[in-house]
Amino acid sequence: MIAPALREEIARRYGTPAVVIDLDRVARNIARLQAACDAAGVANRPHIKTHKSPIIARMQIEAGARGITCQKLGEAEVMAASGIDDILVSYNLIGPHVVERLGRLLRESPARITVAADNPVTVAGLPDAAQAGGRTLDVVVECDTGRKRAGVETPGEAVALARDIASRPGLAFAGLMLYPPPGGVAAAQAFLDEAQAGLAEHGLSARIVSTGGTPNIPEIGQIRGTTEHRAGTVIFNDRMMIEAGVATLDDCALAVLARVVSRAGAERGILDAGSKTLTSDTGGGLDGHGLMPDHPGARIAGFAEEHGFLDLRACAERPPVGTLVEVVPNHVCVVVNMVNELVAVRDGAIVGTIPVAARGLIA
Amino acid sequence: MIAPALREEIARRYGTPAVVIDLDRVARNIARLQAACDAAGVANRPHIKTHKSPIIARMQIEAGARGITCQKLGEAEVMAASGIDDILVSYNLIGPHVVERLGRLLRESPARITVAADNPVTVAGLPDAAQAGGRTLDVVVECDTGRKRAGVETPGEAVALARDIASRPGLAFAGLMLYPPPGGVAAAQAFLDEAQAGLAEHGLSARIVSTGGTPNIPEIGQIRGTTEHRAGTVIFNDRMMIEAGVATLDDCALAVLARVVSRAGAERGILDAGSKTLTSDTGGGLDGHGLMPDHPGARIAGFAEEHGFLDLRACAERPPVGTLVEVVPNHVCVVVNMVNELVAVRDGAIVGTIPVAARGLIA
């Protein structure tokens, strides 16, 4: 992704390990996701947890996204402050702190705000936010159709929670939020159809049916009734997405530029990117802690906090101390979260840095 | 560590997941490390990579530490700017960017600055920093005595590199830096003795012999000739240190205060602390992603970025949605690195927040 001369220039200007994004590839990934949504007749609501940057969110909106998805209230606040005007917080917001902040956001921002809930405790807290905000709060019911994460497990529970939402002052039942595992279209369809029938019996209907996931992009719209899709990782892609078959190395728009800082043994070395840069996320059990496209035999076998342990036994040309190498992370979302700023390049030249504005926040 | 009423107060004021430190325990841990160093007649040079906070570094200095250790140049800059006056950067600093910044630090800060090197490429770059700084730069040779991380592998290489350093304009050979694995006293002693003999043959001597590690605290001073020790994790401790037998749960001064935000299944739940808070660091292969002292049967079985997957099958009292729980991380150093600020408590009350000032920097 980064030509040798550009590597030297980035390292000279910013140091290493630098998290570098290629804005040409970012634009291409944005366009591809938008095209997939357009082709399916489904609104695009990209998940900004991957980049946490209002600058990049703005690129997504300008390419046609209806709005964005956030995973934390703090992310939503940062995005709203930058002028993004349609935000889904796809998370149970619980407790007086976030309820008060949500109320303030509703009061002070003109943005359309939607939140998710999968249980009555969450729902019971939200009317205070709506009241403080002085406007109705849209709430979607998070539904689980196989992932066993958050989300009600049955259509009956979804209907009951929708009725709970609809009965509360200041809240509006807005729809259903799904996050099916890839290949889970049939199960999600069965859940959705039963839930919609149950809603109809009570005079309710789901204006929003939201699906999610980058691996699910090939399935966008296959669940009948889908109105919008939330994909995050596709903005940059990573080794997990290559493994999942939804990206090629050429689609990877982010790499960590790291330096070989030690070669104390003939068959091993140390990168200045350790677990505080690349993270210990295995990407669902991948071998090694990232791909090094220029050194196919090299393996990042382990970590200290600022040390990546290079196993060079299978490496034909072993990089000497000082070499700048590019690492495609296992999981890009957690790597972006480690740094205050990304270094952006375009057309083979440095553009500048992009703050990861919404990282490091408590709530 | 955090009483129920205080949990509610922290969650109300800051939200969750909050990274909370108990300053009483921090002070106790600082005193214990200082006492161990004092008893061994070895200077205390705590590693600030664990807390990245000048406020906490100042507490360590005031308790008797001679100086501090940093793992990145950016950490050293932040610490020097706060008035810390004796800093070891225990890392190979390579490339024009860090050399220039190191020169500026030497020129603008009155602090004593020492850096480490394990190879001639690092050493060859340092004279430019010394020249720009207008003063001599102390360099220690990093030696590996069993960990296979960075560090020259033989005493002969250590002597050769020391001679290289001593021969360069503006550089002074200052000593040897070791990081033996726990139980590695004999191997380190053999390495050190042979290196010192070799140095003497060339008219050199190691003013500094630096050892490191929290698990190595019981061995401080056992390597004859040790002048100082670098321990980081002990400031807070964690599950790894409990497993290593060098801390008890009572010594753990940091916990993540998280909330149960979903209980979609009877035997499982979701915490709002996922891999973007607790990190995927297994602490060297520990089972689960942290300890929950109040819920001994509960296991953090997996992660999404903002979801901790609770396995509650073995849990007698399963925490309902909304419950605030305390999680002692597997590895505390990487958890501190995830957040912009720590919430500090003392004597059962909130003191305020402490910025993790040196986190998120590129170099």
Side-chain angles (χ1 to χ4, degrees):
Chain A
M1 185 179 107
I2 319 167
L6 185 57
R7 290 183 195 184
E8 295 293 341
E9 180 57 24
I10 293 167
R12 185 175 304 116
R13 203 181 301 181
Y14 303 104
T16 57
V19 181
V20 183
I21 62 169
D22 180 325
L23 290 176
D24 296 315
R25 294 189 185 199
V26 168
R28 213 167 65 199
N29 291 340
I30 288 173
R32 205 180 49 205
L33 172 61
Q34 188 63 49
C37 288
D38 290 348
V42 162
N44 182 21
R45 184 181 291 284
H47 206 314
I48 63 79
K49 53 123 187 180
T50 306
H51 56 72
K52 298 198 177 202
S53 156
I55 292 170
I56 298 174
R58 173 73 42 203
M59 291 171 68
Q60 295 173 308
I61 297 286
E62 282 168 6
R66 169 171 299 176
I68 60 167
T69 308
C70 297
Q71 204 74 332
K72 292 174 78 104
L73 182 58
E75 293 171 2
E77 289 167 336
V78 168
M79 295 294 153
S82 83
I84 304 285
D85 66 359
D86 188 339
I87 300 172
L88 165 65
V89 182
S90 54
Y91 206 83
N92 284 292
L93 298 176
I94 301 177
H97 180 82
V98 280
V99 165
E100 190 189 320
R101 275 169 53 185
L102 178 58
R104 199 180 315 137
L105 182 64
L106 289 167
R107 194 172 63 242
E108 295 177 358
S109 164
R112 174 189 285 267
I113 305 286
T114 306
V115 300
D118 82 347
N119 68 77
V121 174
T122 304
V123 171
L126 296 174
D128 281 354
Q131 185 178 21
R135 57 172 162 136
T136 301
L137 175 60
D138 284 337
V139 185
V140 292
V141 173
E142 182 169 7
C143 304
D144 178 50
T145 65
R147 211 176 273 267
K148 300 287 176 198
R149 195 169 84 165
V152 296
E153 289 190 333
T154 68
E157 290 171 289
V159 172
L161 199 60
R163 295 181 67 199
D164 185 7
I165 293 164
S167 76
R168 301 269 180 178
L171 304 189
F173 168 69
L176 303 171
M177 185 178 86
L178 313 177
Y179 184 33
V185 168
Q189 189 73 65
F191 188 113
L192 179 61
D193 290 348
E194 190 177 336
Q196 283 177 318
L199 289 169
E201 280 175 26
H202 295 281
L204 295 170
S205 76
R207 178 172 53 78
I208 297 168
V209 174
S210 181
T211 56
T214 289
N216 312 54
I217 290 174
E219 297 172 343
I220 291 178
Q222 289 183 17
I223 300 168
R224 287 183 312 280
T226 302
T227 66
E228 64 175 39
H229 189 76
R230 318 175 310 277
T233 313
V234 64
I235 188 85
F236 300 138
N237 291 306
D238 56 21
R239 197 174 168 208
M240 275 175 91
M241 294 307 108
I242 295 174
E243 289 287 317
V246 293
T248 66
L249 190 58
D250 258 9
D251 299 324
C252 291
L254 182 148
V256 172
L257 182 67
R259 195 185 285 277
V260 178
V261 291
S262 173
R263 281 293 313 282
E267 298 188 324
R268 62 186 185 85
I270 297 292
L271 279 186
D272 61 2
S275 64
K276 280 180 173 170
T277 303
L278 289 166
T279 87
S280 300
D281 195 317
T282 64
L286 297 171
D287 177 62
H289 293 289
L291 273 186
M292 299 174 60
D294 302 324
H295 302 276
R299 185 170 167 270
I300 304 174
F303 279 143
E305 290 155 48
E306 307 290 358
H307 298 72
F309 288 65
L310 285 179
D311 178 348
L312 301 173
R313 283 175 299 179
C315 208
E317 294 186 29
R318 295 172 181 164
V321 170
T323 307
L324 293 169
V325 301
E326 200 178 286
V327 183
V328 176
N330 285 346
H331 185 185
V332 78
C333 309
V334 290
V335 171
V336 169
N337 187 53
M338 305 306 276
V339 289
N340 293 336
E341 51 191 14
L342 306 173
V343 176
V345 302
R346 182 191 283 134
D347 200 14
I350 296 172
V351 177
T353 57
I354 293 182
V356 185
R359 69 147 306 288
L361 308 171
I362 295 178
Chain B
M1 184 180 108
I2 319 166
L6 185 56
R7 290 183 196 185
E8 295 293 341
E9 180 57 24
I10 293 168
R12 186 175 302 116
R13 201 180 303 180
Y14 302 105
T16 55
V19 181
V20 183
I21 62 169
D22 180 326
L23 290 176
D24 296 314
R25 294 188 185 200
V26 168
R28 213 167 66 199
N29 292 340
I30 288 173
R32 204 179 49 204
L33 173 61
Q34 188 62 50
C37 288
D38 290 348
V42 163
N44 183 21
R45 184 181 290 284
H47 206 313
I48 63 79
K49 53 123 188 180
T50 306
H51 56 73
K52 298 198 176 200
S53 156
I55 292 170
I56 298 174
R58 173 73 44 203
M59 290 170 69
Q60 294 173 308
I61 297 286
E62 282 168 5
R66 169 172 300 176
I68 61 166
T69 308
C70 297
Q71 203 74 332
K72 291 174 79 105
L73 182 59
E75 293 171 3
E77 290 167 337
V78 168
M79 295 294 153
S82 83
I84 303 286
D85 66 0
D86 188 340
I87 300 173
L88 165 65
V89 183
S90 54
Y91 206 82
N92 284 294
L93 298 176
I94 301 177
H97 180 83
V98 280
V99 165
E100 190 189 320
R101 275 170 52 185
L102 178 58
R104 199 179 316 137
L105 182 64
L106 289 167
R107 193 172 66 242
E108 296 178 357
S109 165
R112 174 189 285 266
I113 306 286
T114 306
V115 300
D118 83 347
N119 67 78
V121 174
T122 303
V123 171
L126 296 174
D128 280 355
Q131 184 177 23
R135 57 170 161 137
T136 300
L137 176 60
D138 284 337
V139 185
V140 293
V141 173
E142 182 169 7
C143 303
D144 179 50
T145 65
R147 212 176 272 268
K148 299 288 177 198
R149 195 169 83 166
V152 296
E153 289 192 333
T154 67
E157 290 171 290
V159 173
L161 199 60
R163 294 181 67 199
D164 185 8
I165 293 163
S167 76
R168 302 269 179 177
L171 304 189
F173 168 69
L176 303 172
M177 185 177 87
L178 313 177
Y179 183 34
V185 168
Q189 189 73 65
F191 188 112
L192 179 60
D193 290 348
E194 190 177 336
Q196 283 177 317
L199 290 169
E201 280 176 26
H202 294 282
L204 294 170
S205 75
R207 178 172 54 78
I208 297 167
V209 174
S210 180
T211 56
T214 289
N216 312 55
I217 290 174
E219 297 172 345
I220 291 178
Q222 290 183 17
I223 300 168
R224 287 183 312 280
T226 301
T227 65
E228 64 175 39
H229 189 76
R230 319 175 309 278
T233 312
V234 64
I235 189 86
F236 299 138
N237 291 305
D238 55 21
R239 196 173 168 208
M240 276 174 91
M241 294 306 109
I242 296 174
E243 289 287 317
V246 293
T248 66
L249 190 58
D250 257 10
D251 299 324
C252 291
L254 181 149
V256 172
L257 181 67
R259 195 185 286 277
V260 178
V261 291
S262 173
R263 281 293 314 282
E267 298 189 325
R268 63 188 184 84
I270 296 292
L271 279 186
D272 62 2
S275 64
K276 280 181 173 169
T277 303
L278 290 166
T279 89
S280 300
D281 196 317
T282 64
L286 298 171
D287 178 62
H289 293 290
L291 272 185
M292 299 174 60
D294 302 325
H295 302 276
R299 185 169 167 270
I300 303 175
F303 279 142
E305 290 155 50
E306 308 289 358
H307 298 73
F309 287 66
L310 286 178
D311 178 348
L312 301 173
R313 283 174 299 179
C315 208
E317 294 185 29
R318 296 173 180 162
V321 170
T323 307
L324 292 170
V325 301
E326 201 179 285
V327 183
V328 176
N330 285 347
H331 185 185
V332 79
C333 309
V334 290
V335 171
V336 170
N337 187 52
M338 305 306 276
V339 289
N340 292 336
E341 51 191 14
L342 307 172
V343 175
V345 302
R346 183 191 284 132
D347 200 15
I350 295 171
V351 177
T353 58
I354 293 182
V356 185
R359 69 148 305 287
L361 308 171
I362 295 178

